[in-house]
Amino acid sequence: MDRRKFIEASGWSLLGLASAGSILNGCVPGSREAKKKMPSANGYKIYWGDLHNHCNITYGHGDMKDAFEAAKGQLDFVSVTPHAMWPDIPGKNDPRLEWVIGYHTDAFRRLRKGGYEKYREMTRAYNEEGRFLTFIGYEAHSMKNGDHVALHHDLDAPLTGCSSIDNWKEKFKGQKVFVTPHHMGYQTGYRGYNWDYFTEGDQTPFVEMYSRHGLAENDMGDYPYLHDMGPRQWEGTIQYGLSKGHKFGLIGSTDQHSGYPGSYGDGRVGVLSPSLTRDNIWEGLRSRHTCCATGDRIAVDFRINDAFMGDAIRGNRRKIYLNVTGESCIDYVDVIKNGRLIARLNGPHIPVMPSGDTVRCKVKIEFGWNREEKYIPWNGAVSIDKGRIVNVTPCFRGAAFTSPQEGEAEFHTHVQKIVSVSENSAELALYTSKNPNTTTPATQAVILEVEMPLDGTITADFNGKTFGHSLGELLEGSRTHFMRGWLSEAILFNRAMPESCYTVEHYMEDDSPELDTDYYYVRVRQKDQQWLWTSPIWAERV
């Protein structure tokens, strides 16, 4: 099949931007010329975690044990993160801000009066090498330097105070500790990041670009800052930092305050590693072999020559290889060079109907939309009658608010669970609350990856009601069902996504250095607004 016919058959297209410099051999997924140049599998995989989130151990809500249980249900590693200090806290001379001091310092005091030891003990108890890793971490606020999280390799790490972020970094010298800025895009001097204080190296190998606060890739685009801490600005963004010549990896974290680490859509970090061991995950973080995702586990293999995301190389000829497997239909994949778009791979407007006796697809089944304030339990199973379930991926959210609601004495985390999985069924125990507004979801979901014929049926059997659709029906479009009639809770069978719409492989070459050191990174956008960004690769001119 020639290239033009392949594009038409798959629904994919390649947009090359001539103004961005030399782009050679741009190829679409599966093309013959691309396959000749694709490197072999690298023996690594991406493990997913959340290194910055909160529960009621300080200010936040939700029990710490529930937070670890929630993390264990959908992450490979976690740091449940108490707030610990604020050396330059404002409010002493401003009556408008007096509440800030009491609200925060009371929480810091609780942490030091037994809270930290309880936290350290539970972190150790949940750590299980090779299966689920836990890390000690805690947060320091700073008006001057911006907020940071200290992440320790040592599970017995003491709580270390500071008089400033610079003082913190000095105290941590020689230790295995990462000091990571977050919600970077706020105004400098008001807890936004100041790139003048960035120190490249093992202590700050990565920054947190995305969380519930919003996206700090640049000062435009999706996920603006909406918290009362203020809007985002250019000088705190990662593209500003890259334009200054700094080298750093990218991560996402939830910064969730209702005790649900990894809350779907709020931010996650992916780490490229040969295995799920403490030392290997730590080395992946230190080496900047990281990516930032909003929620979906979008797998990406991005390399230039022999370098992985986060690496730095030398050479004027850059062989760029990209392989992406999404969880839903990919809208587009961008290759960014020095802050400019040099190539865009556009996914199909509507997924192309697959052919064959057995097809591979992903189907997201979503629960929620209840009108009542109270939580609705969902007990039952999703199943198929033909073929097999390859994988079940949880998409579980925590509470959509950052403080207990008015009149609520105590918040209880409702931990979502995949109870069991077999080749033809997945048993679930879920809870949903009403969506807090028409733009913020509170639904729960799982993604079924299946291999089955088009006439095979996918069934949801919950709370005494059963609904089913053939895979062929779901490939034509989504289907919805109310559980108790209009204005009651509902189930959404999302459109089935054939493999052709969520996988892309691409090869291109760039032999036009622009700066002494150019940087490249990749970003992936799905049609359901789930994103992933790779850490950059830096290429030095010779």
Side-chain angles (χ1 to χ4, degrees), residues 323-344:
N323 192 320
V324 178
T325 301
E327 296 282 27
S328 185
C329 186
I330 295 173
D331 192 7
Y332 53 81
V333 179
D334 289 340
V335 180
I336 307 294
K337 177 185 179 184
N338 299 334
R340 299 194 328 279
L341 181 65
I342 62 169
R344 170 166 287 183

mmCIF file with all atom_site columns, all heavy atoms in Angstrom, residues 323-344:
data_model
loop_
_atom_site.group_PDB
_atom_site.id
_atom_site.type_symbol
_atom_site.label_atom_id
_atom_site.label_alt_id
_atom_site.label_comp_id
_atom_site.label_asym_id
_atom_site.label_entity_id
_atom_site.label_seq_id
_atom_site.pdbx_PDB_ins_code
_atom_site.Cartn_x
_atom_site.Cartn_y
_atom_site.Cartn_z
_atom_site.occupancy
_atom_site.B_iso_or_equiv
_atom_site.pdbx_formal_charge
_atom_site.auth_seq_id
_atom_site.auth_comp_id
_atom_site.auth_asym_id
_atom_site.auth_atom_id
_atom_site.pdbx_PDB_model_num
ATOM 1   N N   . ASN A 1 323 ? 6.571   6.170  19.114 1.00 0.00 ? 323 ASN A N   1
ATOM 2   C CA  . ASN A 1 323 ? 5.557   5.120  19.134 1.00 0.00 ? 323 ASN A CA  1
ATOM 3   C C   . ASN A 1 323 ? 4.615   5.415  20.296 1.00 0.00 ? 323 ASN A C   1
ATOM 4   O O   . ASN A 1 323 ? 5.056   5.538  21.444 1.00 0.00 ? 323 ASN A O   1
ATOM 5   C CB  . ASN A 1 323 ? 6.223   3.751  19.316 1.00 0.00 ? 323 ASN A CB  1
ATOM 6   C CG  . ASN A 1 323 ? 5.271   2.598  19.048 1.00 0.00 ? 323 ASN A CG  1
ATOM 7   O OD1 . ASN A 1 323 ? 4.117   2.647  19.420 1.00 0.00 ? 323 ASN A OD1 1
ATOM 8   N ND2 . ASN A 1 323 ? 5.775   1.547  18.417 1.00 0.00 ? 323 ASN A ND2 1
ATOM 9   N N   . VAL A 1 324 ? 3.327   5.558  20.001 1.00 0.00 ? 324 VAL A N   1
ATOM 10  C CA  . VAL A 1 324 ? 2.337   5.939  21.015 1.00 0.00 ? 324 VAL A CA  1
ATOM 11  C C   . VAL A 1 324 ? 1.197   4.926  21.022 1.00 0.00 ? 324 VAL A C   1
ATOM 12  O O   . VAL A 1 324 ? 0.703   4.531  19.962 1.00 0.00 ? 324 VAL A O   1
ATOM 13  C CB  . VAL A 1 324 ? 1.763   7.352  20.746 1.00 0.00 ? 324 VAL A CB  1
ATOM 14  C CG1 . VAL A 1 324 ? 0.691   7.702  21.780 1.00 0.00 ? 324 VAL A CG1 1
ATOM 15  C CG2 . VAL A 1 324 ? 2.866   8.393  20.740 1.00 0.00 ? 324 VAL A CG2 1
ATOM 16  N N   . THR A 1 325 ? 0.800   4.511  22.214 1.00 0.00 ? 325 THR A N   1
ATOM 17  C CA  . THR A 1 325 ? -0.420  3.718  22.391 1.00 0.00 ? 325 THR A CA  1
ATOM 18  C C   . THR A 1 325 ? -1.295  4.437  23.400 1.00 0.00 ? 325 THR A C   1
ATOM 19  O O   . THR A 1 325 ? -0.966  4.530  24.581 1.00 0.00 ? 325 THR A O   1
ATOM 20  C CB  . THR A 1 325 ? -0.108  2.302  22.888 1.00 0.00 ? 325 THR A CB  1
ATOM 21  O OG1 . THR A 1 325 ? 0.750   1.643  21.937 1.00 0.00 ? 325 THR A OG1 1
ATOM 22  C CG2 . THR A 1 325 ? -1.388  1.493  23.040 1.00 0.00 ? 325 THR A CG2 1
ATOM 23  N N   . GLY A 1 326 ? -2.418  4.968  22.937 1.00 0.00 ? 326 GLY A N   1
ATOM 24  C CA  . GLY A 1 326 ? -3.318  5.703  23.814 1.00 0.00 ? 326 GLY A CA  1
ATOM 25  C C   . GLY A 1 326 ? -4.349  4.795  24.448 1.00 0.00 ? 326 GLY A C   1
ATOM 26  O O   . GLY A 1 326 ? -4.359  3.571  24.268 1.00 0.00 ? 326 GLY A O   1
ATOM 27  N N   . GLU A 1 327 ? -5.256  5.405  25.196 1.00 0.00 ? 327 GLU A N   1
ATOM 28  C CA  . GLU A 1 327 ? -6.377  4.689  25.806 1.00 0.00 ? 327 GLU A CA  1
ATOM 29  C C   . GLU A 1 327 ? -7.690  5.014  25.113 1.00 0.00 ? 327 GLU A C   1
ATOM 30  O O   . GLU A 1 327 ? -8.725  4.450  25.422 1.00 0.00 ? 327 GLU A O   1
ATOM 31  C CB  . GLU A 1 327 ? -6.480  5.031  27.294 1.00 0.00 ? 327 GLU A CB  1
ATOM 32  C CG  . GLU A 1 327 ? -5.298  4.592  28.139 1.00 0.00 ? 327 GLU A CG  1
ATOM 33  C CD  . GLU A 1 327 ? -5.314  3.107  28.482 1.00 0.00 ? 327 GLU A CD  1
ATOM 34  O OE1 . GLU A 1 327 ? -5.895  2.317  27.700 1.00 0.00 ? 327 GLU A OE1 1
ATOM 35  O OE2 . GLU A 1 327 ? -4.749  2.735  29.520 1.00 0.00 ? 327 GLU A OE2 1
ATOM 36  N N   . SER A 1 328 ? -7.627  5.989  24.185 1.00 0.00 ? 328 SER A N   1
ATOM 37  C CA  . SER A 1 328 ? -8.797  6.382  23.416 1.00 0.00 ? 328 SER A CA  1
ATOM 38  C C   . SER A 1 328 ? -8.300  6.913  22.085 1.00 0.00 ? 328 SER A C   1
ATOM 39  O O   . SER A 1 328 ? -7.097  6.912  21.803 1.00 0.00 ? 328 SER A O   1
ATOM 40  C CB  . SER A 1 328 ? -9.609  7.434  24.172 1.00 0.00 ? 328 SER A CB  1
ATOM 41  O OG  . SER A 1 328 ? -10.817 7.737  23.490 1.00 0.00 ? 328 SER A OG  1
ATOM 42  N N   . CYS A 1 329 ? -9.211  7.382  21.244 1.00 0.00 ? 329 CYS A N   1
ATOM 43  C CA  . CYS A 1 329 ? -8.833  7.885  19.927 1.00 0.00 ? 329 CYS A CA  1
ATOM 44  C C   . CYS A 1 329 ? -7.903  9.089  20.066 1.00 0.00 ? 329 CYS A C   1
ATOM 45  O O   . CYS A 1 329 ? -8.224  10.063 20.764 1.00 0.00 ? 329 CYS A O   1
ATOM 46  C CB  . CYS A 1 329 ? -10.084 8.281  19.149 1.00 0.00 ? 329 CYS A CB  1
ATOM 47  S SG  . CYS A 1 329 ? -9.767  8.768  17.449 1.00 0.00 ? 329 CYS A SG  1
ATOM 48  N N   . ILE A 1 330 ? -6.755  9.021  19.412 1.00 0.00 ? 330 ILE A N   1
ATOM 49  C CA  . ILE A 1 330 ? -5.794  10.114 19.479 1.00 0.00 ? 330 ILE A CA  1
ATOM 50  C C   . ILE A 1 330 ? -6.248  11.236 18.544 1.00 0.00 ? 330 ILE A C   1
ATOM 51  O O   . ILE A 1 330 ? -6.554  11.004 17.372 1.00 0.00 ? 330 ILE A O   1
ATOM 52  C CB  . ILE A 1 330 ? -4.384  9.627  19.099 1.00 0.00 ? 330 ILE A CB  1
ATOM 53  C CG1 . ILE A 1 330 ? -3.889  8.612  20.145 1.00 0.00 ? 330 ILE A CG1 1
ATOM 54  C CG2 . ILE A 1 330 ? -3.417  10.795 18.991 1.00 0.00 ? 330 ILE A CG2 1
ATOM 55  C CD1 . ILE A 1 330 ? -2.572  7.942  19.792 1.00 0.00 ? 330 ILE A CD1 1
ATOM 56  N N   . ASP A 1 331 ? -6.299  12.437 19.080 1.00 0.00 ? 331 ASP A N   1
ATOM 57  C CA  . ASP A 1 331 ? -6.649  13.616 18.282 1.00 0.00 ? 331 ASP A CA  1
ATOM 58  C C   . ASP A 1 331 ? -5.440  14.032 17.447 1.00 0.00 ? 331 ASP A C   1
ATOM 59  O O   . ASP A 1 331 ? -5.523  14.157 16.232 1.00 0.00 ? 331 ASP A O   1
ATOM 60  C CB  . ASP A 1 331 ? -7.100  14.739 19.214 1.00 0.00 ? 331 ASP A CB  1
ATOM 61  C CG  . ASP A 1 331 ? -7.746  15.892 18.471 1.00 0.00 ? 331 ASP A CG  1
ATOM 62  O OD1 . ASP A 1 331 ? -7.964  15.773 17.251 1.00 0.00 ? 331 ASP A OD1 1
ATOM 63  O OD2 . ASP A 1 331 ? -8.036  16.922 19.104 1.00 0.00 ? 331 ASP A OD2 1
ATOM 64  N N   . TYR A 1 332 ? -4.307  14.251 18.127 1.00 0.00 ? 332 TYR A N   1
ATOM 65  C CA  . TYR A 1 332 ? -3.066  14.552 17.405 1.00 0.00 ? 332 TYR A CA  1
ATOM 66  C C   . TYR A 1 332 ? -1.864  14.292 18.289 1.00 0.00 ? 332 TYR A C   1
ATOM 67  O O   . TYR A 1 332 ? -1.969  14.222 19.520 1.00 0.00 ? 332 TYR A O   1
ATOM 68  C CB  . TYR A 1 332 ? -3.032  15.989 16.880 1.00 0.00 ? 332 TYR A CB  1
ATOM 69  C CG  . TYR A 1 332 ? -3.287  17.078 17.903 1.00 0.00 ? 332 TYR A CG  1
ATOM 70  C CD1 . TYR A 1 332 ? -2.278  17.519 18.759 1.00 0.00 ? 332 TYR A CD1 1
ATOM 71  C CD2 . TYR A 1 332 ? -4.528  17.693 17.988 1.00 0.00 ? 332 TYR A CD2 1
ATOM 72  C CE1 . TYR A 1 332 ? -2.504  18.535 19.682 1.00 0.00 ? 332 TYR A CE1 1
ATOM 73  C CE2 . TYR A 1 332 ? -4.772  18.697 18.901 1.00 0.00 ? 332 TYR A CE2 1
ATOM 74  C CZ  . TYR A 1 332 ? -3.752  19.121 19.747 1.00 0.00 ? 332 TYR A CZ  1
ATOM 75  O OH  . TYR A 1 332 ? -3.983  20.115 20.669 1.00 0.00 ? 332 TYR A OH  1
ATOM 76  N N   . VAL A 1 333 ? -0.726  14.108 17.642 1.00 0.00 ? 333 VAL A N   1
ATOM 77  C CA  . VAL A 1 333 ? 0.567   13.958 18.305 1.00 0.00 ? 333 VAL A CA  1
ATOM 78  C C   . VAL A 1 333 ? 1.479   15.030 17.736 1.00 0.00 ? 333 VAL A C   1
ATOM 79  O O   . VAL A 1 333 ? 1.642   15.132 16.517 1.00 0.00 ? 333 VAL A O   1
ATOM 80  C CB  . VAL A 1 333 ? 1.174   12.561 18.068 1.00 0.00 ? 333 VAL A CB  1
ATOM 81  C CG1 . VAL A 1 333 ? 2.532   12.453 18.768 1.00 0.00 ? 333 VAL A CG1 1
ATOM 82  C CG2 . VAL A 1 333 ? 0.234   11.463 18.536 1.00 0.00 ? 333 VAL A CG2 1
ATOM 83  N N   . ASP A 1 334 ? 2.069   15.852 18.617 1.00 0.00 ? 334 ASP A N   1
ATOM 84  C CA  . ASP A 1 334 ? 2.938   16.951 18.197 1.00 0.00 ? 334 ASP A CA  1
ATOM 85  C C   . ASP A 1 334 ? 4.389   16.652 18.526 1.00 0.00 ? 334 ASP A C   1
ATOM 86  O O   . ASP A 1 334 ? 4.696   16.109 19.594 1.00 0.00 ? 334 ASP A O   1
ATOM 87  C CB  . ASP A 1 334 ? 2.555   18.247 18.913 1.00 0.00 ? 334 ASP A CB  1
ATOM 88  C CG  . ASP A 1 334 ? 1.242   18.826 18.437 1.00 0.00 ? 334 ASP A CG  1
ATOM 89  O OD1 . ASP A 1 334 ? 0.807   18.475 17.330 1.00 0.00 ? 334 ASP A OD1 1
ATOM 90  O OD2 . ASP A 1 334 ? 0.654   19.642 19.175 1.00 0.00 ? 334 ASP A OD2 1
ATOM 91  N N   . VAL A 1 335 ? 5.270   17.045 17.632 1.00 0.00 ? 335 VAL A N   1
ATOM 92  C CA  . VAL A 1 335 ? 6.703   17.092 17.920 1.00 0.00 ? 335 VAL A CA  1
ATOM 93  C C   . VAL A 1 335 ? 7.079   18.563 18.030 1.00 0.00 ? 335 VAL A C   1
ATOM 94  O O   . VAL A 1 335 ? 6.889   19.338 17.085 1.00 0.00 ? 335 VAL A O   1
ATOM 95  C CB  . VAL A 1 335 ? 7.531   16.402 16.821 1.00 0.00 ? 335 VAL A CB  1
ATOM 96  C CG1 . VAL A 1 335 ? 9.023   16.461 17.162 1.00 0.00 ? 335 VAL A CG1 1
ATOM 97  C CG2 . VAL A 1 335 ? 7.090   14.954 16.637 1.00 0.00 ? 335 VAL A CG2 1
ATOM 98  N N   . ILE A 1 336 ? 7.579   18.946 19.206 1.00 0.00 ? 336 ILE A N   1
ATOM 99  C CA  . ILE A 1 336 ? 7.936   20.335 19.495 1.00 0.00 ? 336 ILE A CA  1
ATOM 100 C C   . ILE A 1 336 ? 9.453   20.476 19.492 1.00 0.00 ? 336 ILE A C   1
ATOM 101 O O   . ILE A 1 336 ? 10.160  19.674 20.106 1.00 0.00 ? 336 ILE A O   1
ATOM 102 C CB  . ILE A 1 336 ? 7.392   20.778 20.873 1.00 0.00 ? 336 ILE A CB  1
ATOM 103 C CG1 . ILE A 1 336 ? 5.883   20.511 20.980 1.00 0.00 ? 336 ILE A CG1 1
ATOM 104 C CG2 . ILE A 1 336 ? 7.713   22.249 21.140 1.00 0.00 ? 336 ILE A CG2 1
ATOM 105 C CD1 . ILE A 1 336 ? 5.045   21.326 20.041 1.00 0.00 ? 336 ILE A CD1 1
ATOM 106 N N   . LYS A 1 337 ? 9.959   21.480 18.792 1.00 0.00 ? 337 LYS A N   1
ATOM 107 C CA  . LYS A 1 337 ? 11.387  21.793 18.788 1.00 0.00 ? 337 LYS A CA  1
ATOM 108 C C   . LYS A 1 337 ? 11.569  23.263 19.163 1.00 0.00 ? 337 LYS A C   1
ATOM 109 O O   . LYS A 1 337 ? 11.015  24.147 18.501 1.00 0.00 ? 337 LYS A O   1
ATOM 110 C CB  . LYS A 1 337 ? 11.992  21.533 17.410 1.00 0.00 ? 337 LYS A CB  1
ATOM 111 C CG  . LYS A 1 337 ? 13.475  21.911 17.295 1.00 0.00 ? 337 LYS A CG  1
ATOM 112 C CD  . LYS A 1 337 ? 13.969  21.735 15.858 1.00 0.00 ? 337 LYS A CD  1
ATOM 113 C CE  . LYS A 1 337 ? 15.427  22.120 15.708 1.00 0.00 ? 337 LYS A CE  1
ATOM 114 N NZ  . LYS A 1 337 ? 15.892  22.036 14.288 1.00 0.00 ? 337 LYS A NZ  1
ATOM 115 N N   . ASN A 1 338 ? 12.299  23.507 20.239 1.00 0.00 ? 338 ASN A N   1
ATOM 116 C CA  . ASN A 1 338 ? 12.597  24.882 20.673 1.00 0.00 ? 338 ASN A CA  1
ATOM 117 C C   . ASN A 1 338 ? 11.332  25.737 20.767 1.00 0.00 ? 338 ASN A C   1
ATOM 118 O O   . ASN A 1 338 ? 11.309  26.904 20.381 1.00 0.00 ? 338 ASN A O   1
ATOM 119 C CB  . ASN A 1 338 ? 13.608  25.549 19.731 1.00 0.00 ? 338 ASN A CB  1
ATOM 120 C CG  . ASN A 1 338 ? 14.936  24.825 19.697 1.00 0.00 ? 338 ASN A CG  1
ATOM 121 O OD1 . ASN A 1 338 ? 15.311  24.151 20.661 1.00 0.00 ? 338 ASN A OD1 1
ATOM 122 N ND2 . ASN A 1 338 ? 15.665  24.951 18.603 1.00 0.00 ? 338 ASN A ND2 1
ATOM 123 N N   . GLY A 1 339 ? 10.267  25.123 21.282 1.00 0.00 ? 339 GLY A N   1
ATOM 124 C CA  . GLY A 1 339 ? 9.036   25.857 21.512 1.00 0.00 ? 339 GLY A CA  1
ATOM 125 C C   . GLY A 1 339 ? 8.141   25.990 20.301 1.00 0.00 ? 339 GLY A C   1
ATOM 126 O O   . GLY A 1 339 ? 7.094   26.655 20.377 1.00 0.00 ? 339 GLY A O   1
ATOM 127 N N   . ARG A 1 340 ? 8.535   25.357 19.163 1.00 0.00 ? 340 ARG A N   1
ATOM 128 C CA  . ARG A 1 340 ? 7.729   25.468 17.950 1.00 0.00 ? 340 ARG A CA  1
ATOM 129 C C   . ARG A 1 340 ? 7.306   24.082 17.478 1.00 0.00 ? 340 ARG A C   1
ATOM 130 O O   . ARG A 1 340 ? 8.029   23.102 17.641 1.00 0.00 ? 340 ARG A O   1
ATOM 131 C CB  . ARG A 1 340 ? 8.513   26.171 16.839 1.00 0.00 ? 340 ARG A CB  1
ATOM 132 C CG  . ARG A 1 340 ? 8.928   27.584 17.184 1.00 0.00 ? 340 ARG A CG  1
ATOM 133 C CD  . ARG A 1 340 ? 9.384   28.362 15.953 1.00 0.00 ? 340 ARG A CD  1
ATOM 134 N NE  . ARG A 1 340 ? 10.022  27.547 14.946 1.00 0.00 ? 340 ARG A NE  1
ATOM 135 C CZ  . ARG A 1 340 ? 11.294  27.144 14.964 1.00 0.00 ? 340 ARG A CZ  1
ATOM 136 N NH1 . ARG A 1 340 ? 12.055  27.450 16.013 1.00 0.00 ? 340 ARG A NH1 1
ATOM 137 N NH2 . ARG A 1 340 ? 11.809  26.436 13.971 1.00 0.00 ? 340 ARG A NH2 1
ATOM 138 N N   . LEU A 1 341 ? 6.146   24.028 16.841 1.00 0.00 ? 341 LEU A N   1
ATOM 139 C CA  . LEU A 1 341 ? 5.619   22.786 16.300 1.00 0.00 ? 341 LEU A CA  1
ATOM 140 C C   . LEU A 1 341 ? 6.327   22.477 14.987 1.00 0.00 ? 341 LEU A C   1
ATOM 141 O O   . LEU A 1 341 ? 6.273   23.271 14.043 1.00 0.00 ? 341 LEU A O   1
ATOM 142 C CB  . LEU A 1 341 ? 4.113   22.940 16.077 1.00 0.00 ? 341 LEU A CB  1
ATOM 143 C CG  . LEU A 1 341 ? 3.345   21.753 15.540 1.00 0.00 ? 341 LEU A CG  1
ATOM 144 C CD1 . LEU A 1 341 ? 3.360   20.604 16.531 1.00 0.00 ? 341 LEU A CD1 1
ATOM 145 C CD2 . LEU A 1 341 ? 1.908   22.170 15.231 1.00 0.00 ? 341 LEU A CD2 1
ATOM 146 N N   . ILE A 1 342 ? 7.001   21.304 14.901 1.00 0.00 ? 342 ILE A N   1
ATOM 147 C CA  . ILE A 1 342 ? 7.668   20.944 13.651 1.00 0.00 ? 342 ILE A CA  1
ATOM 148 C C   . ILE A 1 342 ? 6.957   19.803 12.928 1.00 0.00 ? 342 ILE A C   1
ATOM 149 O O   . ILE A 1 342 ? 7.226   19.561 11.752 1.00 0.00 ? 342 ILE A O   1
ATOM 150 C CB  . ILE A 1 342 ? 9.155   20.601 13.859 1.00 0.00 ? 342 ILE A CB  1
ATOM 151 C CG1 . ILE A 1 342 ? 9.342   19.382 14.766 1.00 0.00 ? 342 ILE A CG1 1
ATOM 152 C CG2 . ILE A 1 342 ? 9.916   21.806 14.398 1.00 0.00 ? 342 ILE A CG2 1
ATOM 153 C CD1 . ILE A 1 342 ? 10.774  18.860 14.775 1.00 0.00 ? 342 ILE A CD1 1
ATOM 154 N N   . ALA A 1 343 ? 6.083   19.086 13.613 1.00 0.00 ? 343 ALA A N   1
ATOM 155 C CA  . ALA A 1 343 ? 5.289   18.054 12.939 1.00 0.00 ? 343 ALA A CA  1
ATOM 156 C C   . ALA A 1 343 ? 4.058   17.746 13.766 1.00 0.00 ? 343 ALA A C   1
ATOM 157 O O   . ALA A 1 343 ? 4.111   17.768 14.998 1.00 0.00 ? 343 ALA A O   1
ATOM 158 C CB  . ALA A 1 343 ? 6.107   16.785 12.721 1.00 0.00 ? 343 ALA A CB  1
ATOM 159 N N   . ARG A 1 344 ? 2.972   17.471 13.099 1.00 0.00 ? 344 ARG A N   1
ATOM 160 C CA  . ARG A 1 344 ? 1.740   17.062 13.778 1.00 0.00 ? 344 ARG A CA  1
ATOM 161 C C   . ARG A 1 344 ? 1.155   15.861 13.047 1.00 0.00 ? 344 ARG A C   1
ATOM 162 O O   . ARG A 1 344 ? 0.922   15.900 11.835 1.00 0.00 ? 344 ARG A O   1
ATOM 163 C CB  . ARG A 1 344 ? 0.717   18.189 13.830 1.00 0.00 ? 344 ARG A CB  1
ATOM 164 C CG  . ARG A 1 344 ? -0.664  17.723 14.303 1.00 0.00 ? 344 ARG A CG  1
ATOM 165 C CD  . ARG A 1 344 ? -1.570  18.888 14.669 1.00 0.00 ? 344 ARG A CD  1
ATOM 166 N NE  . ARG A 1 344 ? -1.151  19.492 15.929 1.00 0.00 ? 344 ARG A NE  1
ATOM 167 C CZ  . ARG A 1 344 ? -1.814  20.502 16.527 1.00 0.00 ? 344 ARG A CZ  1
ATOM 168 N NH1 . ARG A 1 344 ? -2.893  21.021 15.943 1.00 0.00 ? 344 ARG A NH1 1
ATOM 169 N NH2 . ARG A 1 344 ? -1.384  20.986 17.662 1.00 0.00 ? 344 ARG A NH2 1
#
